Amino acid sequence: MKRLSPDGHFEPEFVEGVRAIFEEKIVFNQVLGLKLSEITPTVVKARLEMKPDLVGHFAYNRVHGGVISASLDALGGLACLVAKAARHMDQTPTQRLDFFLKIGTIDLRIDYLRQGIGTHFDMRAEVLRLGSRVGSTRMEFFGPDGQLMAAGSGAYIVS
C-alpha cells in the first residue's frame, strides 16, 4: 500500500494532476484566476490576484462577493477531495484524481467580515470532518496584509 511521504505530502504526479484540473480544466476557476499554493492532506491554500474583471463595486475597486463565495466554495470542495485521496493511497494517482467526478456542494455559508480591497487575496480550506458520503470544511479569505476578510463553511458530497 502506498503511503504519503514522510513529510505528509502527496506524490508529484497527483499534485500536478490536481493543479491541472483545478486551475485549467475547471474553466470557471481559470476565469477567476485561482492558483493553488499548497496541497496537503489536511489543508489546501490558493491565491487570487485582483483584476478588473473581479470588481464588484467600481467606486472602491472591491472584489465582488460572488468571487469570494465561488473561490471559497471551490477550495472547500478541493479540500474534501485531497482528504479523501489521502485515505486511498492504495489507488493510483489517476484513480484518486477521478474523485473530482464525485465532489459536489451540498451547503455553503459565507460570512463577509471586511471589504475585499487589495492587490491579491489568499485562501485556506481545511476539512473538519470527512465521512464516507459527506465532508465538512472551514474556509478563510485573507487580504494582502493577512487580515481575515471572509470566512465560510461548507458541506460537500464526496461519494
Side-chain angles (χ1 to χ4, degrees), residues 71-72 74 108 114 133 135 144 149 159:
S71 298
L72 291 179
L108 181 68
R114 291 182 179 79
R133 297 196 179 270
M149 294 182 156
S159 64

Side-chain angles (χ1 to χ4, degrees), residues 7-25:
D7 60 358
H9 290 85
F10 294 104
E11 64 273 58
E13 180 184 353
F14 178 76
V15 172
E16 287 312 308
V18 167
R19 189 176 309 282
I21 292 170
F22 187 84
E23 294 179 2
E24 298 166 22
K25 292 183 180 176

Side-chain angles (χ1 to χ4, degrees), residues 68 72 110-114 139-142 148-152:
I68 295 171
L72 291 179
I110 305 296
D111 292 311
Y112 301 94
L113 308 172
R114 291 182 179 79
M139 300 86 74
E140 298 168 319
F141 190 90
F142 300 96
L148 184 63
M149 294 182 156

Side-chain angles (χ1 to χ4, degrees), residues 66-128:
V67 171
I68 295 171
S69 177
S71 298
L72 291 179
D73 184 21
L75 207 60
L78 183 65
C80 285
L81 175 127
V82 298
K84 182 176 178 179
R87 290 185 178 178
H88 294 276
M89 292 302 291
D90 56 323
Q91 296 183 16
T92 68
T94 303
Q95 289 172 316
R96 286 179 277 133
L97 289 171
D98 284 344
F99 294 160
F100 264 110
L101 302 172
K102 298 179 180 183
I103 299 287
T105 307
I106 296 172
D107 186 52
L108 181 68
R109 177 186 170 87
I110 305 296
D111 292 311
Y112 301 94
L113 308 172
R114 291 182 179 79
Q115 294 188 53
I117 299 174
T119 56
H120 67 275
F121 307 97
D122 292 310
M123 292 157 277
R124 178 183 189 281
E126 68 178 311
V127 174
L128 302 175

Side-chain angles (χ1 to χ4, degrees), residues 17-93:
V18 167
R19 189 176 309 282
I21 292 170
F22 187 84
E23 294 179 2
E24 298 166 22
K25 292 183 180 176
I26 300 175
V27 178
F28 190 63
N29 291 354
Q30 189 176 17
V31 169
L32 291 174
L34 291 172
K35 298 290 183 192
L36 293 172
S37 54
E38 184 178 333
I39 301 169
T40 71
T42 56
V43 174
V44 291
K45 295 180 181 179
R47 177 167 277 199
L48 177 68
E49 297 291 334
M50 185 57 174
K51 57 186 180 179
D53 296 348
L54 304 181
V55 171
H57 195 293
F58 65 92
Y60 300 104
N61 200 36
R62 181 170 57 210
V63 69
H64 193 285
V67 171
I68 295 171
S69 177
S71 298
L72 291 179
D73 184 21
L75 207 60
L78 183 65
C80 285
L81 175 127
V82 298
K84 182 176 178 179
R87 290 185 178 178
H88 294 276
M89 292 302 291
D90 56 323
Q91 296 183 16
T92 68

